[in-house]
Amino acid sequence: MSWTRVCEIDDVEEEDVIGVSVDGQDIAVYRDEDGGFHASEGHCTHERMLLCEGLVMDGIIECPKHNGRFRITDGKAMGAPVTVDLRTYPVKVEDGEVHVDLG
Amino acid sequence: MSTSADLPPDVRRIVVVGAGECGTHAAMALRDKGFAGEITLIGRESVHAYERPPLSKGALAVDELALVHPWTPEQLEQARIALRLGVEVTDIDLTAGTVTTSTGPQGAGEVVPWDRLLLALGSDPRRLEIDEVTYLRTHEDAEALRALLRSQGHLLVVGAGFIGLEIAAGARERGMDVTVVEAGPRALGRIVPEEVAAQVSALHDAHGVSLRVTTTVAGLRRDGDGLRATLSDGDELVVDAVVAGIGATPTTALAEAAGLVVDDGIVVDAALRTSDPRVFAAGDCASFPDARSGGRVRLESWRNAHDQAETAAASMLGQGKAHVAVPWFWSDQYDQMLSVAGLPGTGERSVLRHRDDGVLLHLGLDAQDRLVHAAAVGSGASVAKDIRVAEKLIAAAVPLDPTQLMDPGVPLRSILKAATA
């Protein structure tokens, strides 16, 4: 495992997403309504839009452009126009900081 | 997805005229919906569908123009879509059920029969009655415009709408002096409420753009290497180039000649069907009944092109339902995003929401306090999220509490959750 610190927990509001860059790679970091953190690749699998501009509601991230929907816990594509799941990454929270394992 | 058993048996051949994003999306959607017959997609441009929005935005800032194609040629081929690019449709024969194409790079003109016809003809930039002016619609136009932009010199932009202001921002970022003249009393008069437009004008002012409202170009003539523009107020400007973004007119000549009903766009019903029940129209060229205001509208927007492509594809296969998508528009200028949901001017009263991060959101409510229109400007992520929530609130069409909408401390999404619970 190789953990990278990506942000503090307060950087992400509940039911929201921010974009971070790790070694030039765009990552989306989500906080769900129960305070849990999740991470995925930063772009929609459909047309490479930045997901951090999308809306998180009820555990689903919606791409800002074509409204493609993915489940934030496992990246599952929830139907047209998106058919390819998002790659997700393990997340841990320690001392108020969020770490992601990009493998 | 439906099975082919659900599809009308008399529909075996579908022709789509217009191979831009709308027509191509519709062709692909026909396959997604289970249509197994022949699809012919005919376009007058010589390249397959590409995104137009970047042409007035990111494309002006980069050195090489790389077109963004939503579908690859391989995807279109796999979907068995017969592409005819670089040809014009010269005639629609409603009695025979055919279209005739001009001679093109792929060979002689042909007569293509159809059982259902979709017109996704787009629109053409409105033109000034003066020469030496550049317009923006196609990738070729974008190349011509890019060639005019440089790190110095003076660009005159005619029209302070989305396209004009995006070009102004792009030219400023390249280093040019920019003057924008606008015939109306303010920027963005057609689509954005006054308060939001004022913030956009201030943004351009801060970036050094000279915006002159209630001003037009009265004359333009060559003067050495430059152009001398005479403005309606008598002022003269010597500039290096003039570009106009003064709206667009729907491309309807073909439909009119065929005898279809045309009135500022090809007139369609809620299922996007024209006055001939076998013929449909979608995108910039279609005038359709808006589900919320009850008025007839024609939308020139990227999202509408895609939304109506879906509706039209379903309608052609007899799976049609009324087109109810909430209109949505966006513009990128400098580091800011401007976005609009719903139709402007359809509200009875308005509410302003000033976010701490500088985002200004204007919300238009109808007489029952239902949201009908929203416009926001500010940093991209906040604007995109707020407008997306607003779009859902417009679709929900339930009465809302104006004091909550005004209060940036009450998240819009919690208002949405309460409204749709």
Side-chain angles (χ1 to χ4, degrees), chain A residues 17-63:
Chain A
V17 55
I18 64 164
V20 297
S21 177
V22 179
D23 298 331
Q25 196 178 341
D26 287 315
I27 305 293
V29 179
Y30 310 89
R31 186 173 182 174
D32 64 30
E33 48 186 340
D34 304 317
F37 282 83
H38 313 276
S40 75
E41 58 186 303
H43 293 93
C44 179
T45 55
H46 178 222
E47 239 184 83
R48 306 283 304 153
M49 281 299 290
L50 270 179
L51 288 167
C52 62
E53 296 191 357
L55 191 67
V56 179
M57 271 182 81
D58 303 324
I60 304 285
I61 171 74
E62 204 179 63
C63 172

Side-chain angles (χ1 to χ4, degrees), chain B residues 127-147:
Chain B
R127 286 166 196 272
L128 294 164
E129 285 177 6
I130 44 180
D131 295 334
E132 308 271 9
V133 179
T134 300
Y135 302 88
L136 183 56
R137 170 76 188 176
T138 66
H139 73 101
E140 282 153 340
D141 296 337
E143 287 289 10
L145 173 60
R146 286 160 44 81

Side-chain angles (χ1 to χ4, degrees), chain A residues 15 30 40 43-47 49 51 54-88, chain B residues 388-389 391-392 413 416-417 420:
Chain A
E15 280 213 293
Y30 310 89
S40 75
H43 293 93
C44 179
T45 55
H46 178 222
E47 239 184 83
M49 281 299 290
L51 288 167
L55 191 67
V56 179
M57 271 182 81
D58 303 324
I60 304 285
I61 171 74
E62 204 179 63
C63 172
K65 201 167 165 198
H66 301 82
N67 304 328
R69 292 153 54 85
F70 304 90
R71 197 157 60 199
I72 62 175
T73 48
D74 59 1
K76 181 161 179 44
M78 305 302 284
V82 292
T83 48
V84 179
D85 296 348
L86 285 178
R87 174 200 289 255
T88 54
Chain B
R388 181 65 185 136
V389 177
E391 201 184 315
K392 289 172 183 279
R413 71 178 76 214
L416 175 64
K417 285 202 164 178
T420 53

Side-chain angles (χ1 to χ4, degrees), chain B residues 232-379:
Chain B
S232 52
D233 59 10
D235 266 13
E236 291 208 335
L237 290 179
V238 176
V239 299
D240 297 280
V242 180
V243 57
I246 49 170
T249 49
T251 308
T252 57
L254 197 57
E256 228 165 324
L260 297 170
V261 175
V262 169
D263 180 10
D264 181 37
I266 302 166
V267 173
V268 293
D269 66 13
L272 307 184
R273 194 182 291 263
T274 69
S275 52
D276 184 307
R278 302 160 302 159
V279 182
F280 298 75
D284 289 17
C285 70
S287 165
F288 68 100
D290 174 54
R292 283 160 207 88
S293 67
R296 196 158 264 290
V297 293
R298 195 173 62 72
L299 300 174
E300 294 153 10
S301 85
W302 174 88
R303 170 81 78 81
N304 181 61
H306 284 273
D307 287 346
Q308 291 200 334
E310 282 287 332
T311 303
S315 293
M316 283 191 286
L317 300 178
Q319 309 163 353
K321 34 186 193 292
H323 185 74
V324 293
V326 175
W328 179 87
F329 315 85
W330 99 99
S331 176
D332 295 322
Q333 294 170 30
Y334 310 105
D335 59 344
Q336 305 270 292
M337 182 182 187
L338 167 64
S339 188
V340 173
L343 286 180
T346 50
E348 297 275 320
R349 57 186 291 204
S350 58
V351 165
L352 285 177
R353 181 178 171 97
H354 294 270
R355 288 174 53 121
D356 298 339
D357 58 7
V359 170
L360 173 64
L361 184 64
H362 177 286
L363 300 165
L365 304 171
D366 69 5
Q368 286 82 48
D369 282 339
R370 297 178 302 193
L371 188 65
V372 291
H373 172 244
V377 61
S379 78

Side-chain angles (χ1 to χ4, degrees), chain B residues 170-222:
Chain B
R172 273 308 291 149
E173 287 178 327
R174 284 242 150 177
M176 289 186 95
D177 290 331
V178 177
T179 300
V180 180
V181 295
E182 163 59 43
R186 65 174 174 89
L188 300 166
R190 221 157 50 100
I191 193 167
V192 174
E194 198 162 354
E195 295 87 344
V196 175
Q199 191 150 319
V200 176
S201 295
L203 175 70
H204 281 273
D205 189 55
H207 280 85
V209 170
S210 164
L211 171 64
R212 304 173 65 151
V213 296
T214 56
T215 306
T216 56
V217 178
L220 190 66
R221 61 187 168 83
R222 275 264 150 219

